[in-house]
Amino acid sequence: FDPRHYLGTHRYGFPKTGPHRLRFLLESVKDLRETLKKKGSTLVVRKGKPEDVVSDLITQLGSVSAVAFHEEVREI
């Protein structure tokens, strides 16, 4: 979770992530973790700037051969 998505406002004074969206995200992540656990896997969840968290995680794991990501589409 990138803290920058939960601070400040986006447009017209509305929060970037309101309480309903945050609850939906948290429930979705919990459901995904439970689904993966049933299949013998897990989900790593971290809080911080992705550029820092991913780098730290790669260092911690030590044997990472690939990293995939997506970039958020921004409105102009």
Side-chain angles (χ1 to χ4, degrees):
F1 289 92
D2 186 341
R4 296 173 289 196
H5 291 191
Y6 307 96
L7 301 174
T9 60
H10 183 62
R11 291 190 182 171
Y12 311 110
F14 293 107
K16 290 182 181 179
T17 303
H20 300 291
R21 182 175 184 195
L22 180 57
R23 183 173 48 245
F24 172 77
L25 290 171
L26 292 173
E27 289 172 355
S28 297
V29 168
K30 181 181 177 184
D31 183 65
L32 177 58
R33 177 179 269 161
E34 290 170 0
T35 300
L36 290 170
K37 188 175 181 179
K38 289 176 186 174
K39 296 182 180 288
S41 190
T42 190
L43 178 66
V44 176
V45 179
R46 297 288 188 265
K47 175 185 168 188
K49 294 180 180 178
E51 57 270 25
D52 299 330
V53 172
V54 173
S55 176
D56 292 345
L57 190 57
I58 290 169
T59 301
Q60 180 184 357
L61 295 173
S63 61
V64 175
S65 60
V67 175
F69 69 96
H70 78 90
E71 185 174 352
E72 182 178 351
V73 177
R74 297 180 184 203
E75 295 179 31
I76 298 176

